[in-house]
PDB file of all heavy atoms in Angstrom:
ATOM      1  N   LEU A 202      -6.733 -17.759  -4.305  1.00  0.00           N
ATOM      2  CA  LEU A 202      -7.215 -18.578  -5.406  1.00  0.00           C
ATOM      3  C   LEU A 202      -6.086 -18.854  -6.394  1.00  0.00           C
ATOM      4  O   LEU A 202      -5.262 -17.980  -6.680  1.00  0.00           O
ATOM      5  CB  LEU A 202      -8.358 -17.880  -6.133  1.00  0.00           C
ATOM      6  CG  LEU A 202      -9.639 -17.604  -5.334  1.00  0.00           C
ATOM      7  CD1 LEU A 202     -10.683 -16.965  -6.230  1.00  0.00           C
ATOM      8  CD2 LEU A 202     -10.177 -18.881  -4.704  1.00  0.00           C
ATOM      9  N   SER A 203      -6.071 -20.056  -6.923  1.00  0.00           N
ATOM     10  CA  SER A 203      -5.084 -20.418  -7.931  1.00  0.00           C
ATOM     11  C   SER A 203      -5.521 -19.897  -9.299  1.00  0.00           C
ATOM     12  O   SER A 203      -6.672 -19.475  -9.491  1.00  0.00           O
ATOM     13  CB  SER A 203      -4.928 -21.937  -7.994  1.00  0.00           C
ATOM     14  OG  SER A 203      -6.123 -22.531  -8.487  1.00  0.00           O
ATOM     15  N   VAL A 204      -4.618 -19.944 -10.256  1.00  0.00           N
ATOM     16  CA  VAL A 204      -4.946 -19.574 -11.625  1.00  0.00           C
ATOM     17  C   VAL A 204      -6.091 -20.441 -12.138  1.00  0.00           C
ATOM     18  O   VAL A 204      -7.026 -19.959 -12.790  1.00  0.00           O
ATOM     19  CB  VAL A 204      -3.703 -19.689 -12.527  1.00  0.00           C
ATOM     20  CG1 VAL A 204      -4.088 -19.582 -14.010  1.00  0.00           C
ATOM     21  CG2 VAL A 204      -2.683 -18.611 -12.164  1.00  0.00           C
ATOM     22  N   GLU A 205      -6.029 -21.737 -11.837  1.00  0.00           N
ATOM     23  CA  GLU A 205      -7.083 -22.658 -12.275  1.00  0.00           C
ATOM     24  C   GLU A 205      -8.429 -22.299 -11.656  1.00  0.00           C
ATOM     25  O   GLU A 205      -9.467 -22.378 -12.333  1.00  0.00           O
ATOM     26  CB  GLU A 205      -6.695 -24.095 -11.935  1.00  0.00           C
ATOM     27  CG  GLU A 205      -5.513 -24.644 -12.711  1.00  0.00           C
ATOM     28  CD  GLU A 205      -4.181 -24.058 -12.273  1.00  0.00           C
ATOM     29  OE1 GLU A 205      -4.077 -23.568 -11.120  1.00  0.00           O
ATOM     30  OE2 GLU A 205      -3.234 -24.073 -13.093  1.00  0.00           O
ATOM     31  N   ASP A 206      -8.420 -21.903 -10.380  1.00  0.00           N
ATOM     32  CA  ASP A 206      -9.650 -21.467  -9.718  1.00  0.00           C
ATOM     33  C   ASP A 206     -10.266 -20.280 -10.448  1.00  0.00           C
ATOM     34  O   ASP A 206     -11.479 -20.233 -10.704  1.00  0.00           O
ATOM     35  CB  ASP A 206      -9.371 -21.062  -8.266  1.00  0.00           C
ATOM     36  CG  ASP A 206      -9.037 -22.235  -7.367  1.00  0.00           C
ATOM     37  OD1 ASP A 206      -9.481 -23.360  -7.657  1.00  0.00           O
ATOM     38  OD2 ASP A 206      -8.325 -22.016  -6.367  1.00  0.00           O
ATOM     39  N   ILE A 207      -9.421 -19.312 -10.777  1.00  0.00           N
ATOM     40  CA  ILE A 207      -9.925 -18.086 -11.394  1.00  0.00           C
ATOM     41  C   ILE A 207     -10.426 -18.362 -12.807  1.00  0.00           C
ATOM     42  O   ILE A 207     -11.447 -17.798 -13.236  1.00  0.00           O
ATOM     43  CB  ILE A 207      -8.846 -16.990 -11.376  1.00  0.00           C
ATOM     44  CG1 ILE A 207      -8.490 -16.643  -9.913  1.00  0.00           C
ATOM     45  CG2 ILE A 207      -9.334 -15.735 -12.100  1.00  0.00           C
ATOM     46  CD1 ILE A 207      -7.294 -15.732  -9.771  1.00  0.00           C
ATOM     47  N   ILE A 208      -9.742 -19.235 -13.534  1.00  0.00           N
ATOM     48  CA  ILE A 208     -10.219 -19.614 -14.868  1.00  0.00           C
ATOM     49  C   ILE A 208     -11.615 -20.224 -14.777  1.00  0.00           C
ATOM     50  O   ILE A 208     -12.501 -19.940 -15.592  1.00  0.00           O
ATOM     51  CB  ILE A 208      -9.237 -20.583 -15.545  1.00  0.00           C
ATOM     52  CG1 ILE A 208      -7.962 -19.840 -15.935  1.00  0.00           C
ATOM     53  CG2 ILE A 208      -9.865 -21.234 -16.778  1.00  0.00           C
ATOM     54  CD1 ILE A 208      -6.873 -20.729 -16.495  1.00  0.00           C
ATOM     55  N   SER A 209     -11.827 -21.046 -13.746  1.00  0.00           N
ATOM     56  CA  SER A 209     -13.147 -21.661 -13.589  1.00  0.00           C
ATOM     57  C   SER A 209     -14.206 -20.619 -13.255  1.00  0.00           C
ATOM     58  O   SER A 209     -15.363 -20.734 -13.673  1.00  0.00           O
ATOM     59  CB  SER A 209     -13.102 -22.751 -12.508  1.00  0.00           C
ATOM     60  OG  SER A 209     -13.007 -22.196 -11.211  1.00  0.00           O
ATOM     61  N   LEU A 210     -13.831 -19.578 -12.515  1.00  0.00           N
ATOM     62  CA  LEU A 210     -14.768 -18.499 -12.213  1.00  0.00           C
ATOM     63  C   LEU A 210     -15.087 -17.679 -13.461  1.00  0.00           C
ATOM     64  O   LEU A 210     -16.231 -17.269 -13.671  1.00  0.00           O
ATOM     65  CB  LEU A 210     -14.185 -17.581 -11.129  1.00  0.00           C
ATOM     66  CG  LEU A 210     -14.156 -18.116  -9.694  1.00  0.00           C
ATOM     67  CD1 LEU A 210     -13.327 -17.197  -8.809  1.00  0.00           C
ATOM     68  CD2 LEU A 210     -15.560 -18.260  -9.140  1.00  0.00           C
ATOM     69  N   ILE A 211     -14.088 -17.427 -14.280  1.00  0.00           N
ATOM     70  CA  ILE A 211     -14.308 -16.665 -15.511  1.00  0.00           C
ATOM     71  C   ILE A 211     -15.297 -17.388 -16.414  1.00  0.00           C
ATOM     72  O   ILE A 211     -16.217 -16.779 -16.964  1.00  0.00           O
ATOM     73  CB  ILE A 211     -12.968 -16.424 -16.236  1.00  0.00           C
ATOM     74  CG1 ILE A 211     -12.095 -15.451 -15.423  1.00  0.00           C
ATOM     75  CG2 ILE A 211     -13.197 -15.883 -17.650  1.00  0.00           C
ATOM     76  CD1 ILE A 211     -10.676 -15.311 -15.946  1.00  0.00           C
ATOM     77  N   GLY A 212     -15.114 -18.682 -16.546  1.00  0.00           N
ATOM     78  CA  GLY A 212     -16.043 -19.471 -17.344  1.00  0.00           C
ATOM     79  C   GLY A 212     -15.995 -19.113 -18.821  1.00  0.00           C
ATOM     80  O   GLY A 212     -14.992 -18.613 -19.341  1.00  0.00           O
ATOM     81  N   SER A 213     -17.120 -19.339 -19.497  1.00  0.00           N
ATOM     82  CA  SER A 213     -17.174 -19.137 -20.948  1.00  0.00           C
ATOM     83  C   SER A 213     -17.673 -17.757 -21.339  1.00  0.00           C
ATOM     84  O   SER A 213     -17.554 -17.355 -22.499  1.00  0.00           O
ATOM     85  CB  SER A 213     -18.086 -20.192 -21.588  1.00  0.00           C
ATOM     86  OG  SER A 213     -19.406 -20.092 -21.053  1.00  0.00           O
ATOM     87  N   GLN A 214     -18.234 -17.006 -20.362  1.00  0.00           N
ATOM     88  CA  GLN A 214     -18.710 -15.654 -20.646  1.00  0.00           C
ATOM     89  C   GLN A 214     -18.497 -14.778 -19.433  1.00  0.00           C
ATOM     90  O   GLN A 214     -19.039 -15.035 -18.360  1.00  0.00           O
ATOM     91  CB  GLN A 214     -20.184 -15.664 -21.034  1.00  0.00           C
ATOM     92  CG  GLN A 214     -20.703 -14.331 -21.594  1.00  0.00           C
ATOM     93  CD  GLN A 214     -21.050 -13.313 -20.506  1.00  0.00           C
ATOM     94  OE1 GLN A 214     -21.686 -13.679 -19.503  1.00  0.00           O
ATOM     95  NE2 GLN A 214     -20.637 -12.066 -20.683  1.00  0.00           N
TER      96      GLN A 214
END
Side-chain angles (χ1 to χ4, degrees):
L202 297 183
S203 67
V204 169
E205 292 73 23
D206 290 333
I207 298 171
I208 289 175
S209 73
L210 286 170
I211 291 171
S213 60
Q214 191 279 316

